[in-house]
Amino acid sequence: MQWTEMVIAIVSGFALTIMAMPIVIGFFRTKQLGQTTRDEGPKWHEIKTGTPTMGGIVFLVAAIISTIWVAIWQDVLTLGIGLSLFILILYGLLGFLDDFIKVFKKRNLGLTSKQKLIGQIFGGLLFFVAYRYDGLPTELVFPFLGIVDIGWFYGLFIIFWLVGFSNAVNLTDGLDGLVAGTASIAYGAYAIIAWNQEQIDILIICLTIVGGLIGFFFFNKKPAKIFMGDVGSLALGGGLAAISILLHQEWSLLLIGFIFVVETASVMIQVTSFKLRGKRVFKMSPIHHHFEMSGWSEWRVVLTFWAIGLIAAVASLFMIL
């Protein structure tokens, strides 16, 4: 795949997003549909109440359409693309239902955690069945042990990875432009790995998503005109996990997705500490809110997290390549 063709993949995702986003924003504003800020969130976020959400639909559809036509053009419409798009669509659909209930049914909480978890696990099971049907390896690289074939336990790993990272990105999506930037960095890193491994199918997916996210950022930067919603964050996290599996670079996601890992860890630490000790470790979790409550501006938090994510991704690429 030549540089011009890679640029076309990015531009396709970007252009479709840029063209469609104003229409979606206009629709939500006309119908006076917007996000309701949760009571337990920072008080200064109340100004965001009424901002249109579900913007993830636009860049997801843009990336899916772009991926399919570029893959057909490059003659690489493979199982890898099918599995990746399946996770993006299914997890995006779960997020869409969650957002739809919140926005259109005027309920602050959408799907229950149990309902989302069942859907995520179901997606992981189908992913593994198709993965094994194609005869793909069930090996994992363990420190000091080397490559170990864990057989059917790999299915449990896949479910854990998909569910864990889809929720991790969802937790991170709390500030204007935060996930748009960190996810662009992560997908960009995997695009480089896919290019190095000559897995053109996965490269195309990564590039079209990066293009879509760049287009989305123009509307999501502070002050955000629209939020991505669960439809975007759940899909992005599941997609990252799926791509790390298909590239057989599973553990790399712990570093490439370092910000998502830290955000999730902060919530786990906060909950565990409060239950066991009755004390909070952070002023608020996820940790991006802790820095906000410590006096950091929203832009400072976002730019700092982008920088950390970029450093972690570059470090991962050095180790892999």
Side-chain angles (χ1 to χ4, degrees):
M1 192 174 187
Q2 302 298 316
W3 283 105
T4 52
E5 295 160 346
M6 288 190 280
V7 170
I8 289 173
I10 295 175
V11 170
S12 178
F14 173 82
L16 290 176
T17 301
I18 284 288
M19 289 188 292
M21 196 65 75
I23 300 172
V24 173
I25 294 174
F27 169 79
F28 276 95
R29 286 180 174 170
T30 301
K31 300 295 183 180
Q32 295 185 325
L33 298 170
Q35 178 168 294
T36 301
T37 304
R38 297 178 64 173
D39 295 334
E40 59 268 31
K43 295 303 180 184
W44 55 88
H45 280 204
E46 291 178 357
I47 195 174
K48 298 173 185 275
T49 296
T51 301
T53 187
M54 301 174 74
I57 296 174
V58 179
F59 67 73
L60 276 180
V61 172
I64 290 167
I65 292 174
S66 299
T67 294
I68 292 173
W69 86 258
V70 174
I72 292 174
W73 171 38
Q74 294 294 307
D75 194 25
V76 287
L77 204 56
T78 63
L79 177 68
I81 284 181
L83 286 174
S84 300
L85 293 184
F86 166 70
I87 291 298
L88 286 171
I89 293 170
L90 178 61
Y91 280 39
L93 180 60
L94 289 172
F96 173 82
L97 292 174
D98 190 47
D99 291 331
F100 182 86
I101 293 171
K102 292 176 186 175
V103 175
F104 289 88
K105 301 297 183 181
K106 302 298 183 181
R107 281 166 43 189
N108 198 27
L109 295 175
L111 294 176
T112 65
S113 298
K114 183 178 181 180
Q115 289 171 328
K116 283 190 281 190
L117 181 61
I118 290 173
Q120 290 169 318
I121 292 175
F122 176 71
L125 283 172
L126 291 183
F127 183 98
F128 179 63
V129 169
Y131 182 93
R132 288 301 297 141
Y133 181 79
D134 199 53
L136 295 172
T138 55
E139 300 170 336
L140 270 179
V141 178
F142 290 94
F144 309 112
L145 295 177
I147 300 176
V148 179
D149 191 335
I150 58 176
W152 289 102
F153 285 103
Y154 194 73
L156 296 176
F157 172 81
I158 284 178
I159 293 172
F160 172 76
W161 218 235
L162 291 171
V163 173
F165 275 96
S166 63
N167 289 324
V169 175
N170 184 240
L171 286 172
T172 306
D173 185 30
L175 300 178
D176 297 350
L178 179 56
V179 168
T182 51
S184 293
I185 292 168
Y187 275 98
Y190 279 118
I192 294 172
I193 294 172
W195 176 76
N196 184 67
Q197 293 184 2
E198 297 184 356
Q199 292 203 44
I200 305 304
D201 50 351
I202 306 301
L203 172 61
I204 290 170
I205 294 173
C206 292
L207 293 177
T208 58
I209 291 177
V210 169
L213 284 172
I214 294 172
F216 174 71
F217 175 72
F218 283 95
F219 302 92
N220 184 239
K221 68 183 189 303
K222 185 175 177 63
K225 295 182 178 66
I226 190 169
F227 303 133
M228 70 169 59
D230 287 4
V231 61
S233 58
L234 288 178
L236 288 174
L240 280 173
I243 286 168
S244 71
I245 292 166
L246 293 169
L247 291 174
H248 306 298
Q249 295 289 343
E250 298 90 343
W251 298 123
S252 67
L253 190 50
L254 293 175
L255 196 52
I256 289 176
F258 181 70
I259 291 297
F260 310 130
V261 174
V262 170
E263 293 272 26
T264 304
S266 71
V267 173
M268 296 172 65
I269 291 170
Q270 186 86 321
V271 172
T272 302
S273 177
F274 189 74
K275 286 186 175 181
L276 297 180
R277 303 165 55 238
K279 297 180 180 179
R280 292 179 172 86
V281 176
F282 307 104
K283 294 179 180 180
M284 184 177 288
S285 65
I287 198 170
H288 57 257
H289 289 320
H290 169 81
F291 288 107
E292 275 194 295
M293 296 190 75
S294 298
W296 288 31
S297 69
E298 190 167 349
W299 261 120
R300 183 183 177 187
V301 177
V302 169
L303 292 175
T304 301
F305 279 37
W306 284 2
I308 294 172
L310 180 61
I311 292 169
V314 171
S316 182
L317 290 175
F318 269 109
M319 289 188 287
I320 293 171
L321 304 181

